[in-house]
Amino acid sequence: MSLLKPRAKAVPGSRGTPPPRTPRQRKRALGLDRGAWFLLLPALIPILLLSVGPLVYAVSLAFTDAQAGRTSPTQFVGLLNFTDLRHDSLFWESFRIGLVWALCVTTLQFLLALGLALLLDQNLRFRWLARTLALVPWAMPEVVVGVMWRLVYHQDAGILNKTLAQLGLIDGQVDWLSSMTLALPAVIVVGVWAGMPQTTVVLLAGLQNVPLELREAAALDGAGAWRRFTTVTWPAIRPVVLAITALNFIWNFNSFGLIYVLTQGGPGGRTRLPSLFAYEEAFKYGQYGYAAAMGLAMIALIAVLLVLFLRRKLKEDAR
Amino acid sequence: MSRTDPAPPVTGPPATRPPARRRLARGAGRAGQYLALLCYLVFLGFPLLWLLSTSLKSPQELGSIDPSWIPRDPSLANFRAAFDAQPLLRSALNSLVVATSAAVIAVAIAVPAAYVMVRHRSRISRAGTVWILVSQMFPFVLVIIPLFLVLRNLHLINQLPGLVIVYVVWNLPFALWMLRGYVRAVPISLEEAAAVDGASRLRTLTSVVLPLLTPGLVATLMFSFVTAWNEFFFALVLLKSPEKQTMSVILTHFIGAEGVADLGPLAAAALLATLPSLLFFALLQRRLVSGMLAGAVKG
């Protein structure tokens, strides 16, 4: 899996034909001297012990029946957790919800952030205000974002129902977060709100790297705004777009805190993302082995989706 | 990527539109842009204003079905009620201790590592870069289960040091990422001069690179602090007793088991929990963005 990438890369001779190197460079490519190791170790040790180590442990847990408060020793059960998982309709339901959530949030986040980034790239008044506001959601703890939107969505004391009623769009009091149909769209809006700043900043950076001369030249040639965007801006920011949407998708799929505060996965599991499901499995029911298998399945399924997504993009680029 | 498709020649017609019409179109475009910007400001701003408004309202007003934007009888009573209802001060202190230690330790061990990764191209450096990216992809759930079991065996569950350890590792990738950008910006000629003068690597790092790195260090420290202050998931799993919990976790206690919340104190506590991170962001917003982008663009 993706974890193996760095090691696979390090296989000698797999780097293709290297450019000619000076002896000094060759020595560097082969390894580090003692002084460099000394500087690297303080970071390397915690990474290996507390990041790579637990991952390996998690993988091994997924093949055992590890449980909380168990007196008999934990046993190796082979693929049992995974076959159970395959028949666990609740897991598949949560996986489907996770996909819908991640797809919707990522897409909306991207479209809105692109619009905002394009606006902020213009020389508009109040740009500073928008730039500052655009960063605020980023500074807020996700728990606070969740709390805040609960207040907005609140059936009686929330501003959303009041505003919609004033506009004559609804007549009753909608309980957004407890509605079987509306809960998921409602939390998706919150996800978009919370994740927009980061995407905006990254896209804005991409936009500022588009050579001004190119845009000016296109404008002089009489290209309209749309044409300038499709022929000059978009090709230039495409790599940034790909990177940030792929990362956003992963982050969104794995998100936890927002939903935990907003709905705890309810109503009736309608907003239960896979990470909430695995959390409950591990820390409510103590099924460590099963939850670890769930985590692995999440990575594997996401990896497959990403490969499909990126491969299509790469093919497009090759054409 | 953009490299593979050469910039297509712009074949649009030369500008033949009458100037007046064009000016009009441009004016309409401008107006549209301001309108769009306004929509964004409303979308981004209104939940914040609502949070503020709710925190200042009396219980009677919160109970009414006709909420208003401006509190009729604004008071700070909710803030006092929040302190009475939950150990807010204690949890703020916990958050402060945990976030500060995690940020300082993470940056302290990330600086030399980032330096080596930038100045010594090697397989380890490249593996480090890949690890930074890959580490973004793992669901926390997968990492927390083994970490929980290990920390339990070390009797570090429900202990702040246990959470600090987790946050250090969690902060490392991003701290490395930001610092790499800052180290790259240090002119290598200065280091070479120091080396010619016979300074050891450690000495070059401490007396040449570090002083130049100070603004970047501050930005990375603050960012790590904010991430740790805002973090929720690890704190939720690792801290059990209320007097040990951090602010994020304490906030969820304002929402009862049935999802019923005491809205006023909840809003007040939420505002308080955001203050430090908002303050830091206000202080270093510009530097933060440029630092992140330095890492991102030159990847």
Side-chain angles (χ1 to χ4, degrees), chain A residues 40-94:
Chain A
L40 207 53
L41 274 184
L44 214 53
I45 291 172
I47 286 170
L48 289 177
L49 282 185
L50 288 146
S51 175
V52 180
L55 273 175
V56 176
Y57 188 14
V59 172
S60 70
L61 270 177
F63 297 94
T64 68
D65 59 353
Q67 275 177 28
R70 196 190 161 90
T71 42
S72 55
T74 300
Q75 280 184 344
F76 177 78
V77 293
L79 290 172
L80 187 68
N81 285 329
F82 292 95
T83 43
D84 281 354
L85 205 55
R86 225 184 61 196
H87 301 294
D88 190 338
S89 59
L90 283 179
F91 172 73
W92 287 108
E93 176 64 9
S94 84

Side-chain angles (χ1 to χ4, degrees), chain A:
Chain A
M1 267 186 335
S2 41
L3 186 68
L4 292 173
K5 253 187 198 155
R7 245 166 284 158
K9 237 186 174 172
V11 172
S14 69
R15 267 177 284 117
T17 45
R21 295 158 185 245
T22 64
R24 194 167 155 205
Q25 275 175 328
R26 201 173 301 134
K27 191 182 160 219
R28 281 184 176 180
L30 284 174
L32 299 167
D33 54 54
R34 209 182 300 157
W37 276 109
F38 174 71
L39 293 176
L40 207 53
L41 274 184
L44 214 53
I45 291 172
I47 286 170
L48 289 177
L49 282 185
L50 288 146
S51 175
V52 180
L55 273 175
V56 176
Y57 188 14
V59 172
S60 70
L61 270 177
F63 297 94
T64 68
D65 59 353
Q67 275 177 28
R70 196 190 161 90
T71 42
S72 55
T74 300
Q75 280 184 344
F76 177 78
V77 293
L79 290 172
L80 187 68
N81 285 329
F82 292 95
T83 43
D84 281 354
L85 205 55
R86 225 184 61 196
H87 301 294
D88 190 338
S89 59
L90 283 179
F91 172 73
W92 287 108
E93 176 64 9
S94 84
F95 185 73
R96 194 189 63 80
I97 291 167
L99 274 189
V100 171
W101 150 270
L103 271 178
C104 292
V105 174
T106 309
T107 314
L108 290 172
Q109 233 166 36
F110 168 70
L111 291 176
L112 286 178
L114 181 65
L116 185 56
L118 285 170
L119 280 175
L120 293 182
D121 199 34
Q122 305 280 323
N123 199 7
L124 295 180
R125 233 169 280 173
F126 303 115
R127 185 166 73 160
W128 63 271
L129 180 62
R131 278 196 177 183
T132 312
L133 257 182
L135 279 180
V136 166
W138 202 359
M140 298 177 75
E142 53 180 355
V143 177
V144 174
V145 174
V147 163
M148 191 174 71
W149 278 89
R150 274 184 77 125
L151 298 173
V152 169
Y153 282 135
H154 196 275
Q155 191 175 1
D156 302 322
I159 192 63
L160 189 64
N161 276 342
K162 157 115 176 176
T163 312
L164 291 179
Q166 274 176 344
L167 292 172
L169 292 171
I170 54 167
D171 44 352
Q173 297 290 317
V174 182
D175 195 354
W176 297 92
L177 296 173
S178 308
S179 150
M180 291 297 262
T181 46
L182 293 173
L184 189 57
V187 294
I188 285 173
V189 170
V190 184
V192 173
W193 190 89
M196 242 177 69
Q198 202 159 358
T199 317
T200 308
V201 168
V202 172
L203 290 177
L204 196 55
L207 284 178
Q208 281 166 358
N209 278 347
V210 180
L212 200 60
E213 311 87 70
L214 262 185
R215 284 195 251 182
E216 278 167 358
L220 277 181
D221 287 344
W226 175 249
R227 214 183 148 75
R228 280 203 303 274
F229 177 75
T230 52
T231 55
V232 179
T233 314
W234 181 254
I237 62 169
R238 230 181 94 112
V240 179
V241 169
L242 271 186
I244 191 66
T245 37
L247 273 176
N248 271 345
F249 184 79
I250 298 169
W251 285 330
N252 288 327
F253 186 79
N254 291 335
S255 62
F256 177 86
L258 267 188
I259 306 281
Y260 183 88
V261 176
L262 281 167
T263 62
Q264 295 241 347
R270 280 303 161 93
T271 59
R272 184 160 54 201
L273 304 184
S275 56
L276 262 95
F277 195 54
Y279 163 82
E280 285 177 2
E281 209 57 52
F283 298 105
K284 240 187 193 165
Y285 308 116
Q287 301 291 336
Y288 299 133
Y290 192 51
M294 221 175 259
L296 274 189
M298 278 167 70
I299 297 182
L301 294 166
I302 284 304
V304 168
L305 284 174
L306 270 184
V307 167
L308 290 177
F309 169 75
L310 291 176
R311 177 182 290 166
R312 225 192 69 205
K313 293 288 181 191
L314 291 177
K315 263 190 199 154
E316 273 172 26
D317 289 332
R319 233 182 282 144

